[in-house]
Amino acid sequence: MIVTWTVEGVDWSKNIKANIDSDPSEIATRGVESILESLKTEEDSIQLGAVLRVFHNRMKDEGEHWIIYAPTILANAGYYQDAEELKQAAEKEFL
């Protein structure tokens, strides 16, 4: 069954159509890749946030979601330097 997944950062969100049993980490990676690709052509910027909230429309009705560590998703998407910088910033903020 195809559902609408949502990946949310601090000041952005991305909707993705995918199978209901898709891996939330893969959905988050696709969302981050899409958002970062769009920034290459715009002069805009985003705050990714230390964690991402991932859910699909059936979960939203029940208030359920996954929380995924953003540096891991950045590394999955191939943004290794950005992942390391975000990890260090998050550690300073939260530790």
Side-chain angles (χ1 to χ4, degrees):
M1 170 187 282
I2 302 297
V3 295
T4 301
W5 287 82
T6 302
V7 181
E8 291 182 343
V10 172
D11 60 358
W12 62 275
S13 67
K14 179 68 179 173
N15 291 330
I16 297 171
K17 297 247 185 229
N19 200 309
I20 195 168
D21 61 357
S22 296
D23 181 338
S25 293
E26 291 177 19
I27 297 297
T29 301
R30 287 175 50 193
V32 166
E33 287 172 334
S34 178
I35 289 294
L36 293 178
E37 280 295 317
S38 72
L39 294 176
K40 288 182 180 178
T41 59
E42 299 175 11
E43 292 182 5
D44 211 359
S45 65
I46 61 165
Q47 289 188 22
L48 190 62
V51 295
L52 304 172
R53 190 168 79 117
V54 180
F55 57 90
H56 56 69
N57 53 331
R58 291 190 167 216
M59 294 174 68
K60 186 176 182 181
D61 296 339
E62 298 176 18
E64 297 176 1
H65 58 269
W66 283 278
I67 298 295
I68 300 176
Y69 189 55
T72 301
I73 298 306
L74 276 171
N76 287 351
Y79 294 89
Y80 305 109
Q81 182 62 37
D82 294 324
E84 184 59 32
E85 289 172 6
L86 182 58
K87 178 183 171 204
Q88 290 174 5
E91 287 172 351
K92 284 182 185 176
E93 180 74 24
F94 298 112
L95 295 179

